[in-house]
Amino acid sequence: MANTIQTHMKNNTLPLVHFFLAFIMLLIGGTLGLLQGLNRGGVFELPASFNYYEVLTLHGILLILAFTTLFTNGYLYAAIRHTLGELSKTVKILAWSSLASFLIGSLLVVWMVLAGEATVMYTFYPPMQASPWFYIGLVFVVLCIWLAGLGVFISAFQWKRRNKGQHLPILAFFAVGIYTLVIFGSLGVTVEVLMLIPWAFGWTETINVMLSRTLFWSFGHTLVNVWYLVAISVWYTILPKIIGGRIFSDTLARLVVILIVILNVPGGFHHQIVDPAFSEGLKFMHVFMSLSIAFPSLMTAFAMFAVLERTGRKRGGRGLLGWLWVLPWGDVRFLTIMIAMISFIIGGAGGIAQTNNQLNQVVHNSLWVVGHFHITVGVTVVMTFFGLVYWLIPHLSGRVMTPFIHHLGMFQTATWTVGMALMALSMHAVGLFGAPRRTSYTTYGDSATALGWEPYLSFLATGGTLLFFGVILIVYIVFHLMFFAPKGDTPFMDSRVEDNAHPTPKWTENWGLWVIVAILIISMGYVVPLVDLIENAPPGSPPHRTW
Amino acid sequence: MKMHRFEEIWLIFGVAVLVISMAITGYQAFAQGMAPPSHKETIDPAQVENTAPFDNPGVYQTGENEYEVVMTLQAFSFEPSEITVPKGAEVTFIMTSKDVIHGVNAPHTNLNTMVVPGQVQRITQTFHDSDEFLLICNEYCGTGHQTMSATITVEE
């Protein structure tokens, strides 16, 4: 029996190492989050040597770049190995190089931040100038994602060659879409970083600030939608199996992937609604381009309710809402994903609000925004990730989840949900009253306005503390399932499509076409503003170091 | 592609909501003049102090109940940092940054915009109530970011 564990661990080293590192990042990033929440709530002051903004920079980078990237790569490589068969040697080399590139990159980035050479936030807006090694670190992080993507594309291509005329399995189809989107999304930021490096070394004297900022945001928000696409790949393909149902419509799922890939990149422009240097007409067009992303999400909402209702009725649910109560609410693998999906209704609505011109101006750069992405990323995406670990990690490590871990998981889910709800809802509220984001605790000389924020900020700190306990619990659960749970077989939970489903049309497989359409739509969003920003550029900005 | 009838209804409903939202936003932006601040004038970020009007920051009356606030931003202060205008005045802020990117927000108003080096930003706000408003930087601009604020006093 001990041998089977060793075999499992050996065959699945790649995803297991990714998950191991991902949850280490979550542990460190979450601890930093606790420090921030407590500081922001006015509970305690960070020592001067460990500045709030340094902590915030690391918290952002470790959680939104490192944790999500590692988890996504681990999950998708496990998924393609399961659906497409053993990885070829080339793909394995690419995957391990991707991880190596990530480690080099994040080591450089974290080192520079800790050394106080890069207290520039996750957005690293110039003309604030970090050490060139910070930007070089970012290049390696992007390279990591490209290498991982290349591996998935090659796997999919090899499978198609072996299985002529067949549709790529749906989970692998998601993986191809996810890496296509991330590569499109990272093109802008790559150009930006390649301009920042010579500037940071002092080889060029000035930098075009608005151009950099615009290139950054073509990536900044797309990245969020990459995680979201990863999350819905779980909802479409894994959730039905967990509740004992089938995929509602294979075609619908594939269409949603395609739409998200082609519509997303220009969506990031809504971060610049109150920026100078763009005309009102251009901003209005971008409201439309951002809102269009809501369309595939609406399709997803329908598909999810369809799966839940069909399965609920099959399980004996009657009447208008009877199907809802018979769903397996006591199963942590379902509960986590269900909470993730419910929170997306709130997060999606908030997102639509921020995309809109005038509503954006009310909440821009306030704590509302931070509340929004703690709901969308911190619950919708991360809770979906948490939902996977209860079966995916034991599947990979050749173990089974015990009832104790299941109970602990339910408790973790409750802690996380209550913590996020407290924190994110108070952030939304206090953001409406004008409390700024990315700002350490301050009362602005005891101004009445700022003092009015205090009660909300204490709720924020309380939520943050609960979340820290949530982090400790999930890290314990993950490591237990990886190394200490009893031996046994845990199956991979992917679902089949309904028996009477319509056949999936051929055009869904035509990635060449979708890439062209995506390029056209990205051009529609970005050619005019980028040309304008280059042609009508002010004299560039010299570097500044304000930390 | 065949779709479920309920899904068609749901999507038509969803798209209708989006279209109506666009129509309202467009009407507000272009018919009611409530478009987001979108000024396109550039400036040499290293020469702000020598470039009119920023060589002379301050509050200027430009018409009956109309004021202009010429303002420069730098880590970690606004200049001028104490602004006084009468109640009901329409105040246009003309701003630029001497160093990094800043954000400007007066909580409890719709005054909220980005001030980017190299660009001049204009935003207009009418103050209907006599009160003291806080003006803060809401984009991280360095380790003293939390101290960057000004006050707008609206007098009776």
Side-chain angles (χ1 to χ4, degrees):
Chain A
M1 271 309 260
N3 282 338
T4 43
I5 295 254
Q6 276 170 6
T7 320
H8 265 282
M9 288 296 231
K10 190 162 168 285
N11 287 343
N12 297 309
T13 321
L14 180 72
L16 285 170
V17 169
H18 277 88
F19 288 132
F20 182 86
L21 292 172
F23 283 91
I24 297 281
M25 300 291 173
L26 183 71
L27 185 61
I28 306 171
T31 310
L32 297 173
L34 173 72
L35 297 180
Q36 260 157 253
L38 292 179
N39 172 281
R40 193 64 202 260
V43 179
F44 91 127
E45 205 163 322
L46 287 164
S49 57
F50 208 48
N51 182 276
Y52 178 84
Y53 299 104
E54 204 173 301
V55 173
L56 187 53
T57 305
L58 268 186
H59 171 75
I61 289 172
L62 289 181
L63 294 186
I64 58 188
L65 273 179
F67 172 69
T68 53
T69 304
L70 288 169
F71 192 98
T72 301
N73 288 353
Y75 155 60
L76 291 176
Y77 268 86
I80 61 162
R81 181 162 182 267
H82 173 76
T83 53
L84 304 181
E86 190 57 60
L87 308 177
S88 73
K89 204 174 163 211
T90 324
V91 174
K92 275 185 190 157
I93 293 171
L94 281 168
W96 284 108
S97 325
S98 155
L99 186 64
S101 180
F102 177 85
L103 291 174
I104 296 168
S106 50
L107 201 69
L108 277 174
V109 167
V110 170
W111 179 16
M112 286 303 120
V113 177
L114 284 178
E117 297 288 322
T119 311
V120 291
M121 302 285 149
Y122 149 76
T123 45
F124 55 91
Y125 293 141
M128 229 179 248
Q129 191 188 62
S131 153
W133 298 103
F134 171 81
Y135 304 115
I136 290 171
L138 293 176
V139 172
F140 280 101
V141 173
V142 172
L143 189 64
C144 148
I145 305 174
W146 288 3
L147 290 170
L150 192 59
V152 168
F153 297 154
I154 291 175
S155 284
F157 184 74
Q158 288 169 337
W159 186 92
K160 290 283 280 186
R161 222 172 32 191
R162 286 197 307 269
N163 299 274
K164 286 230 184 301
Q166 287 190 49
H167 287 282
L168 198 65
I170 180 77
L171 199 45
F173 188 88
F174 266 100
V176 169
I178 287 161
Y179 286 106
T180 309
L181 181 59
V182 84
I183 288 170
F184 272 127
S186 57
L187 290 178
V189 79
T190 306
V191 175
E192 182 199 359
V193 168
L194 293 180
M195 292 191 307
L196 292 177
I197 290 172
W199 174 67
F201 273 116
W203 303 331
T204 51
E205 281 179 9
T206 61
I207 193 83
N208 184 335
V209 176
M210 277 312 296
L211 180 64
S212 306
R213 186 172 157 79
T214 307
L215 289 172
F216 177 83
W217 279 117
S218 73
F219 155 81
H221 202 88
T222 309
L223 186 62
V224 179
N225 287 306
V226 170
W227 308 324
Y228 164 61
L229 190 54
V230 178
I232 69 169
S233 77
V234 177
W235 306 354
Y236 274 103
T237 66
I238 287 161
L239 174 76
K241 174 83 167 192
I242 285 169
I243 59 177
R246 295 281 186 89
I247 295 174
F248 168 63
S249 161
D250 183 73
T251 312
L252 176 78
R254 286 171 205 252
L255 183 63
V256 165
V257 176
I258 293 166
L259 284 174
I260 290 181
V261 170
I262 62 181
L263 292 175
N264 241 309
V265 179
F269 196 93
H270 69 258
H271 286 254
Q272 297 185 275
I273 289 177
V274 296
D275 273 17
F278 303 109
S279 69
E280 292 168 3
L282 182 89
K283 286 180 178 176
F284 186 67
M285 180 187 82
H286 271 282
V287 171
F288 177 67
M289 296 190 83
S290 292
L291 278 181
S292 66
I293 306 170
F295 186 73
S297 294
L298 289 168
M299 295 173 79
T300 299
F302 187 88
M304 290 307 113
F305 277 108
V307 169
L308 294 175
E309 182 178 352
R310 278 162 182 246
T311 315
R313 294 204 186 282
K314 209 160 68 182
R315 292 169 73 112
R318 299 270 171 273
L320 188 64
L321 289 174
W323 52 271
L324 200 54
W325 316 126
V326 296
L327 293 173
W329 294 96
D331 182 340
V332 71
R333 299 168 307 171
F334 169 72
L335 186 67
T336 44
I337 294 177
M338 195 61 198
I339 292 172
M341 296 197 300
I342 293 167
S343 79
F344 190 65
I345 300 176
I346 309 165
I352 289 175
Q354 281 161 98
T355 292
N356 179 291
N357 274 343
Q358 288 87 356
L359 297 179
N360 179 282
Q361 200 172 334
V362 176
V363 296
H364 175 80
N365 267 352
S366 73
L367 271 175
W368 160 289
V369 180
V370 188
H372 167 70
F373 73 66
H374 278 90
I375 288 270
T376 48
V377 179
V379 188
T380 305
V381 173
V382 170
M383 197 82 127
T384 302
F385 287 2
F386 288 175
L388 282 176
V389 303
Y390 297 101
W391 61 265
L392 182 55
I393 292 184
H395 165 79
L396 297 170
S397 63
R399 297 174 189 272
V400 285
M401 172 172 59
T402 57
F404 170 71
I405 288 293
H406 188 272
H407 286 314
L408 201 61
M410 294 298 276
F411 184 63
Q412 197 281 337
T413 309
T415 312
W416 196 265
T417 310
V418 175
M420 275 293 176
L422 261 180
M423 191 174 83
L425 295 177
S426 52
M427 281 171 166
H428 273 90
V430 80
L432 283 176
F433 304 140
R437 70 152 153 173
R438 302 172 141 197
T439 305
S440 70
Y441 177 74
T442 173
T443 58
Y444 294 108
D446 287 341
S447 116
T449 309
L451 289 174
W453 301 334
E454 304 266 293
Y456 299 91
L457 296 175
S458 344
F459 276 118
L460 184 162
T462 315
T465 311
L466 276 175
L467 287 169
F468 175 69
F469 287 114
V471 166
I472 302 280
L473 287 173
I474 195 75
V475 169
Y476 172 75
I477 289 169
V478 166
F479 291 161
H480 185 271
L481 291 173
M482 213 176 260
F483 301 114
F484 306 112
K487 290 157 246 177
D489 265 330
T490 305
F492 195 100
M493 302 295 283
D494 61 336
S495 338
R496 280 186 303 146
V497 81
E498 303 242 9
D499 285 332
N500 56 354
H502 298 291
T504 308
K506 272 260 163 278
W507 52 258
T508 53
E509 295 284 304
N510 195 348
W511 277 104
L513 174 66
W514 307 129
V515 165
I516 293 168
V517 174
I519 291 171
L520 286 176
I521 290 182
I522 294 169
S523 311
M524 182 176 143
Y526 277 110
V527 168
V528 170
L530 290 181
V531 169
D532 187 38
L533 288 174
I534 294 166
E535 281 194 341
N536 301 317
S541 277
H544 290 278
R545 186 166 163 150
T546 49
W547 67 89
Chain B
M1 177 187 161
K2 282 214 169 67
M3 262 191 208
H4 198 283
R5 191 169 57 91
F6 284 155
E7 174 158 35
E8 284 173 357
I9 295 170
W10 162 248
L11 286 180
I12 289 167
F13 171 75
V15 170
V17 169
L18 297 185
V19 170
I20 293 167
S21 152
M22 282 299 292
I24 294 172
T25 302
Y27 177 75
Q28 287 179 323
F30 299 109
Q32 298 189 316
M34 286 161 63
S38 305
H39 203 56
K40 291 187 70 168
E41 189 184 339
T42 59
I43 183 172
D44 184 345
Q47 295 297 326
V48 170
E49 281 166 3
N50 308 321
T51 312
F54 300 104
D55 51 354
N56 228 340
V59 186
Y60 301 96
Q61 184 162 14
T62 49
E64 199 194 335
N65 245 355
E66 277 179 30
Y67 288 79
E68 273 183 6
V69 178
V70 175
M71 188 175 244
T72 57
L73 288 83
Q74 64 236 294
F76 304 99
S77 62
F78 295 91
E79 195 185 353
S81 63
E82 283 176 12
I83 297 148
T84 306
V85 288
K87 184 177 158 181
E90 187 188 277
V91 186
T92 301
F93 293 81
I94 305 167
M95 301 175 286
T96 196
S97 165
K98 289 186 189 173
D99 44 38
V100 297
I101 297 181
H102 298 279
V104 173
N105 178 222
H108 307 304
T109 75
N110 288 338
L111 179 68
N112 191 356
T113 190
M114 299 301 295
V115 177
V116 178
Q119 305 285 337
V120 177
Q121 180 66 297
R122 298 172 77 99
I123 184 166
T124 302
Q125 175 71 36
T126 305
F127 293 94
H128 295 290
D129 299 309
S130 54
D131 203 347
E132 189 176 284
F133 290 92
L134 184 64
L135 190 75
I136 59 173
C137 175
N138 69 0
E139 181 63 78
Y140 167 70
C141 59
T143 32
H145 166 59
Q146 71 286 353
T147 62
M148 187 166 168
S149 72
T151 53
I152 303 168
T153 310
V154 181
E155 289 182 332
E156 198 60 52

